[in-house]
Amino acid sequence: MLKNDLEADQMPPRVSKGYKGWYAKNTQKVMEEYRTLARRVAGNIAEGSSVLELGPYPGYLAIELAKLGNYKIVGLDISKTFIDIAQKKANEAGVAIEFRLGNAAHMPFDN
């Protein structure tokens, strides 16, 4: 066993500090920036385009983009918590976005 393995076994379990809930709440304060960015993206892609957002966190950009047009939007995040938050927010906003759990290094999509 490595020294770090022994130390890890002796460490107390990590306590969640609610970071992701804090992040989602505080990020919501800058929604106008997300709306501005969504308008920029929408101005550069055709209606009906497929859009992949990597690391959507709570989904604000994808949601704002979905409100602007008919796009097939997928958000890919490594965090199950953020995927759950983003999907809930998209449902509340009444927009169709698929948020998927996955790693950008090994994307779960066909080429």
Side-chain angles (χ1 to χ4, degrees):
M1 234 184 234
L2 299 173
K3 181 181 177 193
N4 287 342
D5 291 336
L6 289 173
E7 291 171 0
D9 289 341
Q10 297 168 0
M11 294 179 67
R14 289 177 29 143
V15 176
S16 173
K17 296 183 181 180
Y19 169 75
K20 292 173 182 166
W22 172 90
Y23 179 88
K25 179 181 173 188
N26 287 296
T27 304
Q28 192 169 15
K29 293 177 183 177
V30 294
M31 288 306 297
E32 190 53 41
E33 291 179 35
Y34 284 104
R35 289 182 190 105
T36 298
L37 183 54
R39 287 189 297 267
R40 284 182 57 199
V41 171
N44 287 291
I45 60 175
E47 187 80 12
S49 292
S50 294
V51 177
L52 172 63
E53 182 181 10
L54 298 177
Y57 302 109
Y60 298 134
L61 176 60
I63 291 167
E64 292 305 314
L65 181 60
K67 290 177 181 178
L68 297 175
N70 180 28
Y71 306 108
K72 181 180 178 351
I73 303 172
V74 175
L76 182 71
D77 204 297
I78 198 165
S79 166
K80 171 103 171 76
T81 301
F82 276 136
I83 291 299
D84 292 343
I85 290 169
Q87 194 64 68
K88 179 181 177 201
K89 290 188 175 299
N91 293 343
E92 289 170 355
V95 294
I97 302 171
E98 179 185 358
F99 290 101
R100 294 181 63 176
L101 185 64
N103 186 327
H106 305 286
M107 287 194 260
F109 305 107
D110 294 334
N111 288 336

